[in-house]
Amino acid sequence: MGQKSKSRIELLQGTLDVLVLRTLLAGPAHGHAVAKHIQRTSEDLLQVETGSLYPALHRLEAKGWVASEWELSEKGKRAKYYRLTARGRKQLVIEHSKWEVFARAMGLILNPAGEEVL
């Protein structure tokens, strides 16, 4: 097992939604491209399985944050392309803000001022 696969991170509940919304900010993409983008951008630390990705895409679509339509992929096959809606953009701003606060809180707890780091 390589070092990167050993340090892969389990996704917290709800994390996948914000990752998908952020990925679609760049433009429409089919599910496989969304998963690959997340994996590549995270330097292989995050890997989204099909069994998690498509339920997340459907959940986001049901909330009106993502819309989809069938198109031909680069390889000429029919694929469902997902795009961020205006509501999805607003939700991404909200979720991004929540993550900034969460990351700051985790940093404060894991690296308290004046204490030795493990």
Side-chain angles (χ1 to χ4, degrees):
M1 210 186 250
Q3 181 61 28
K4 283 192 176 188
S5 58
K6 282 183 186 175
S7 61
R8 224 175 236 138
I9 301 165
E10 293 290 324
L11 294 180
L12 296 170
Q13 178 105 18
T15 305
L16 183 54
D17 291 0
V18 73
L19 294 174
V20 170
L21 292 174
R22 179 60 181 92
T23 298
L24 294 176
L25 186 61
H30 54 77
H32 182 72
V34 169
K36 284 296 177 195
H37 180 268
I38 292 168
Q39 183 176 347
R40 189 175 52 252
T41 305
S42 72
E43 298 177 352
D44 293 324
L45 293 171
L46 302 177
Q47 185 171 358
V48 181
E49 302 297 329
T50 304
S52 299
L53 177 64
Y54 288 98
L57 286 166
H58 296 148
R59 185 174 55 252
L60 295 173
E61 194 169 17
K63 291 179 178 182
W65 300 347
V66 166
S68 68
E69 56 189 309
W70 290 96
E71 297 178 23
L72 288 181
S73 72
E74 312 82 49
K75 296 178 181 178
K77 293 185 177 183
R78 252 175 60 100
K80 197 176 220 184
Y81 278 75
Y82 297 88
R83 66 173 174 75
L84 198 58
T85 64
R87 285 176 62 192
R89 284 178 192 277
K90 288 178 186 172
Q91 190 62 34
L92 178 57
V93 170
I94 292 166
E95 296 300 325
H96 186 269
S97 179
K98 286 180 187 177
W99 271 98
E100 291 290 326
V101 171
F102 179 75
R104 181 173 183 276
M106 288 298 293
L108 292 169
I109 292 167
L110 293 175
N111 302 305
E115 283 190 29
E116 225 177 276
V117 179
L118 297 177

